[in-house]
Amino acid sequence: MTASAASVAGPEPDLIARREGAVGVIRLNRPKTINAVTLEMFREVDKALDEFESDPAIGLILLEGAGERGLCAGGDIRALYEDSRVKGDLGKILWREEYILNDRIARFPKPYVAFMDGIVMGGGVGLSAHGSHRVVTEKTKLAMPEVGLGFFPDVGGTWLLSRSPGETGTYFGLTGQTMNGPDAVYACFADAVVPSGRLAALRETLVGLPARVDSADVKIAIDGFATGETAGPVAAIQSRIDGWFAHDRMQDIIVALQGDGSELAQSTLKTLNEKSPRGMVVALKLLRLARASSSLEECLVREYRAALEVFASDDFREGIRAAVIDKDRNPRWSPARVEDVTPGMIAPYFAEIGADELVFDKSS
């Protein structure tokens, strides 16, 4: 292509949706930001799913990320920060559409394959971990670090984490620690580990499948490239994690860690001490409620209520300021200690919100 032709064509869109063989490919295409997702990108994913669902020539969906660094580093939190400062409604709009999309992915009638290579965080988890076939690699770094932003694991994260073995989901949700590929399989965020060097061959195999493919056929195709790994480093320390994180109050989790003089317990305690006290208390309650829930939708409804309260909070802006804007890594949380978080502070995060409640459209 000549320079003039390239200038006429313009830059590539942030989201590319196209058919390859019988595969509807959805590619997140902002590699400079590790494919951080915007409201418009969520809308484009939803439109692509409309088209692919109704097209009989499409047998399965493939979600992938452009570039070498990862599938998706999460949502565009800088935009949310700026809008929160002026008391805008971006949070209300974006999270509503995103959470409804997360639920749609979980219910999608055709096989939905996600290549979770490299970094997968926040909104990227929502687009991938609810799919029917979730592929990770030795390069996968999956995390839900939202409590470090005065937030909590959303996009259905409370549903996913509450179904991890023992208290590993509580551990990942409150510490924001990173899962590698086998950890993600163990924690029920992924289904198979495929070496990154074999993803291209797996992709070619998927593109060659017929349009009348079913989930069993897709699983067989993926398993042909998988390592068979089902447990990572966290599985080896689960019994210790279970002892520390089995409590329903943050104060009791902290006391359990304080009473264990091991290096692992003390490093875990140090990590928790860096997080938003209010965010951790809200996250823990959401995780415990999710454990007793019967559906992803129940969890998303609760997450949406809590998210709107977070959006209006000083902790959310302060967390983003410290991590993304000023990058001083020194957030000043309010309150500063877990023991100062009162039930009255937490109650608004769980209150019904009337006409703003999240409602799911089952027609799609």
Side-chain angles (χ1 to χ4, degrees):
M1 181 182 292
T2 66
S4 60
S7 63
V8 170
E12 287 190 333
D14 290 344
L15 188 121
I16 296 171
R18 64 185 177 215
R19 176 181 158 192
E20 295 183 31
V23 176
V25 176
I26 297 175
R27 178 179 297 164
L28 308 180
N29 193 42
R30 297 181 72 208
K32 290 181 180 178
T33 65
I34 320 180
N35 303 312
V37 245
T38 64
L39 174 58
E40 189 54 41
M41 288 169 72
F42 287 129
R43 290 173 173 172
E44 290 296 321
V45 170
D46 197 48
K47 285 198 287 189
L49 291 179
D50 283 342
E51 181 182 333
F52 294 154
E53 183 175 351
S54 63
D55 187 345
I58 298 289
L60 65 108
I61 309 303
L62 173 62
L63 175 75
E64 61 186 9
E68 301 296 320
R69 293 193 290 167
L71 171 66
C72 176
D76 188 352
I77 57 174
R78 186 180 288 268
L80 287 166
Y81 169 81
E82 296 294 349
D83 198 67
S84 175
R85 291 180 69 195
V86 298
K87 297 181 168 40
D89 58 3
L90 178 61
K92 178 187 289 190
I93 295 167
L94 184 145
W95 287 321
R96 176 182 296 279
E97 296 189 28
E98 181 181 14
Y99 295 2
I100 289 171
L101 178 59
N102 298 149
D103 179 64
R104 182 179 187 182
I105 290 167
R107 295 186 293 106
F108 202 71
K110 296 179 180 181
Y112 183 106
V113 181
F115 280 2
M116 302 165 73
D117 191 31
I119 292 172
V120 186
M121 294 186 181
V125 174
L127 291 175
S128 58
H130 297 299
S132 57
H133 304 275
R134 305 158 302 172
V135 176
V136 287
T137 74
E138 79 283 358
K139 295 180 179 179
T140 296
K141 295 180 179 180
L142 189 154
M144 301 209 77
E146 289 82 1
V147 287
L149 299 176
F151 201 28
F152 57 86
D154 67 329
V155 298
T158 60
W159 168 258
L160 293 165
L161 290 164
S162 67
R163 272 136 189 87
S164 300
E167 297 297 337
T168 54
T170 312
Y171 167 78
F172 281 123
L174 294 177
T175 64
Q177 293 284 48
T178 300
M179 306 178 199
N180 68 8
D183 277 333
V185 174
Y186 185 74
C188 304
F189 276 69
D191 303 297
V193 180
V194 173
S196 59
R198 304 195 74 193
L199 279 183
L202 170 56
R203 191 182 191 284
E204 188 176 339
T205 298
L206 294 174
V207 168
L209 291 174
R212 295 180 65 83
V213 69
D214 61 25
S215 280
D217 296 324
V218 175
K219 182 179 186 304
I220 290 169
I222 293 171
D223 286 348
F225 293 87
T227 65
E229 295 169 274
T230 58
V234 165
I237 59 169
Q238 187 193 323
S239 61
R240 301 175 71 185
I241 287 171
D242 288 353
W244 298 326
F245 286 88
H247 308 284
D248 294 337
R249 297 193 321 148
M250 274 310 305
Q251 295 96 313
D252 296 331
I253 291 173
I254 289 169
V255 167
L257 288 163
Q258 288 171 336
D260 185 329
S262 69
E263 184 178 342
L264 179 60
Q266 293 310 300
S267 66
T268 302
L269 183 61
K270 181 177 183 294
T271 297
L272 292 180
N273 285 337
E274 296 167 354
K275 309 303 180 188
S276 161
R278 189 189 307 232
M280 287 191 294
V281 173
V282 170
L284 181 59
K285 184 170 181 178
L286 286 167
L287 288 167
R288 293 300 183 250
L289 290 169
R291 186 173 282 173
S293 296
S294 60
S295 72
L296 168 63
E297 290 179 1
E298 284 182 49
C299 296
L300 287 167
V301 166
R302 271 195 301 269
E303 289 176 12
Y304 188 66
R305 292 171 182 170
L308 296 192
E309 191 67 23
V310 167
F311 191 65
S313 74
D314 291 335
D315 264 14
F316 179 63
R317 290 184 288 274
E318 177 63 9
I320 297 175
R321 181 207 62 76
V324 179
I325 308 301
D326 298 336
K327 299 182 180 178
D328 59 22
R329 306 289 173 182
N330 186 32
R332 295 178 290 276
W333 303 121
S334 176
R337 304 185 310 160
V338 164
E339 51 266 44
D340 294 330
V341 179
T342 67
M345 291 176 187
I346 299 307
Y349 292 79
F350 297 88
E352 294 183 5
I353 53 177
D356 284 332
E357 292 283 13
L358 194 63
V359 178
F360 298 94
D361 179 6
K362 296 300 183 67
S363 64
S364 61

